[in-house]
Amino acid sequence: MSKYAKEPDYKRVKLDMPFTGITSFRKAPICTNLDELDADIAIIGVPNDMTTAWRSGARMGPRSIREQSSLYSFGSGYDHERDIVYDNDGIKIVDCGDVSIINGDVEQSHENTEEVVRKVIAKGAMPIVLGGDHSVTNPVAFALDSHEKVNVVQIDAHMDWLKDASGQRYTLSNPMRRMSEMDHINKMAQLGIRGVGSSQKEDFDDARAYGSKIVSPKQLRKMGIEEALKDMPDGEKYYVTIDIDGLDASIAPGAGSPSPGGFYYDEVSEILEAVAKKGNVIGFDLVEVNPLYDPTGVTSQIAARLIIDFINFIIYEQKNASK
């Protein structure tokens, strides 16, 4: 008998391999009828890239992120670096599918996005939004108005503080300025901002006048994450918006506007962990993944991993707080 033969008393089991099954996010249960939603966390795809300014294709981001997330659909939740077991038992995570996007109609697509996010929040679930270009953060931000004093952390290469684009106020170039105009939005930290042309000087002046903390990757590496977030309040509500181009173009080439000089995976993960420790995260989005420029799938894989990391950090802190 071969030394590689199976044990004589082995039991056959079904292995839920990453390449099998329906690719919901991390193979989570699916609920597309929001009237029946019963969940703590709801994954929402918003495949809208109608305001893309450079490379279109982010509309395929939600599908690609879901596909790559299946790699992490099984296995241990043990993190040996932190000596923590991320235990999501008792937490219902559901994939709600995609918002209805009306091709060529940005306004209606934003209305549909806001409506879905409002329903998810009304059902008591935390929305996690997969973009799409960064314009999708605009309707999501409006839907957060049932909360008061929401602090915002942005991870991005670009400030997204344009006043308007030929009269258009809700594009990928201005979600942060639009958020600053909302009564329920409080303080902001914008991390990863870099590069000539990301915004005009007057946009930076306006953001600083609002009170936003603007930090480049080089500056954050010198000062540290704690210093970068020191002006953000402890124990309050937080929303996080992550543009994949906040990461360096060398590791996240599948982006609408990739930019050199960005963060690395570990740095972004540590920022997200710090935010989860700082306050109560009520939702987040990850946008601008463009699988058409990501032939190996590495950008979508990193995006999926960051989403999973952040979910783990949030649940861990919530469980600790409840204890």
Side-chain angles (χ1 to χ4, degrees):
M1 178 183 292
S2 168
K3 63 182 178 182
Y4 300 111
K6 298 182 180 70
E7 293 293 330
D9 59 347
Y10 85 96
K11 294 181 180 179
R12 182 173 295 185
V13 298
K14 181 180 178 180
L15 297 180
D16 188 15
M17 301 303 291
F19 48 81
T20 64
I22 297 171
T23 53
S24 62
F25 185 82
R26 209 180 185 186
K27 298 193 177 182
I30 297 170
C31 177
T32 55
N33 183 351
L34 295 182
D35 292 332
E36 299 175 355
L37 180 63
D38 178 18
D40 300 295
I41 294 173
I43 309 295
I44 307 162
V46 187
N48 178 0
D49 67 356
M50 283 182 273
T51 76
T52 298
W54 176 228
R55 306 194 306 193
S56 61
R59 68 185 64 185
M60 306 305 293
R63 181 172 295 183
S64 182
I65 293 170
R66 286 183 172 109
E67 180 180 359
Q68 293 299 325
S69 74
S70 64
L71 174 62
Y72 305 105
S73 61
F74 68 101
S76 169
Y78 178 62
D79 183 333
H80 75 92
E81 291 179 301
R82 297 173 175 84
D83 193 23
I84 291 173
V85 176
Y86 290 108
D87 175 15
N88 296 344
D89 287 348
I91 305 296
K92 296 179 182 178
I93 302 175
V94 171
D95 193 323
C96 295
D98 292 338
V99 168
S100 175
I101 301 301
I102 311 303
N103 57 307
D105 192 333
V106 177
E107 181 178 340
Q108 189 176 165
S109 298
H110 282 347
E111 288 172 352
N112 291 345
T113 301
E114 183 178 343
E115 180 182 2
V116 166
V117 176
R118 285 189 182 278
K119 283 185 177 180
V120 164
I121 293 173
K123 285 288 187 176
M126 182 180 75
I128 297 176
V129 174
L130 315 179
D133 69 33
H134 216 155
S135 72
V136 307
T137 301
N138 288 295
V140 175
F142 277 116
L144 298 176
D145 64 3
S146 58
H147 298 281
E148 294 181 356
K149 288 184 66 177
V150 178
N151 301 286
V152 179
V153 175
Q154 175 195 20
I155 297 172
D156 201 327
H158 310 99
M159 276 249 302
D160 297 343
W161 207 280
L162 193 70
K163 289 182 179 178
D164 64 75
S166 192
Q168 297 181 85
R169 289 171 49 80
Y170 301 104
T171 73
L172 84 173
S173 298
N174 42 34
M176 305 312 293
R177 184 182 283 271
R178 297 290 85 85
M179 292 176 91
S180 75
E181 298 164 352
M182 299 178 189
D183 292 338
H184 58 286
I185 300 299
N186 189 32
K187 297 183 71 66
M188 285 189 190
Q190 298 178 269
L191 311 180
I193 311 303
R194 63 192 185 276
V196 175
S198 62
S199 277
Q200 303 298 319
K201 182 181 183 300
E202 53 264 33
D203 297 325
F204 280 87
D205 292 340
D206 289 347
R208 291 189 177 109
Y210 175 79
S212 182
K213 181 72 174 275
I214 304 167
V215 181
S216 73
K218 287 191 292 185
Q219 290 171 327
L220 186 137
R221 287 170 187 138
K222 290 179 180 178
M223 70 174 63
I225 295 171
E226 184 177 353
E227 177 69 18
L229 295 175
K230 75 171 185 177
D231 296 330
M232 300 297 283
D234 294 328
E236 294 188 4
K237 294 178 180 179
Y238 277 83
Y239 185 84
V240 178
T241 178
I242 308 164
D243 187 323
I244 201 66
D245 69 25
L247 282 83
D248 191 74
S250 64
I251 63 167
S257 299
S259 181
F263 291 127
Y264 299 110
Y265 158 76
D266 284 329
E267 292 174 313
V268 175
S269 185
E270 288 173 4
I271 291 169
L272 298 178
E273 184 179 20
V275 174
K277 290 178 180 295
K278 199 162 191 69
N280 175 26
V281 179
I282 61 168
F284 67 92
D285 64 56
L286 193 150
V287 301
E288 295 288 350
V289 170
N290 188 334
L292 304 187
Y293 294 88
D294 190 31
T296 67
V298 64
T299 309
S300 298
Q301 183 183 344
I302 290 172
R305 179 63 184 273
L306 286 172
I307 293 167
I308 292 166
D309 285 354
F310 202 13
I311 291 173
N312 285 338
F313 298 148
I314 292 167
I315 293 173
Y316 181 78
E317 294 303 323
Q318 288 177 345
K319 287 188 173 183
N320 276 351
S322 66
K323 291 178 183 178

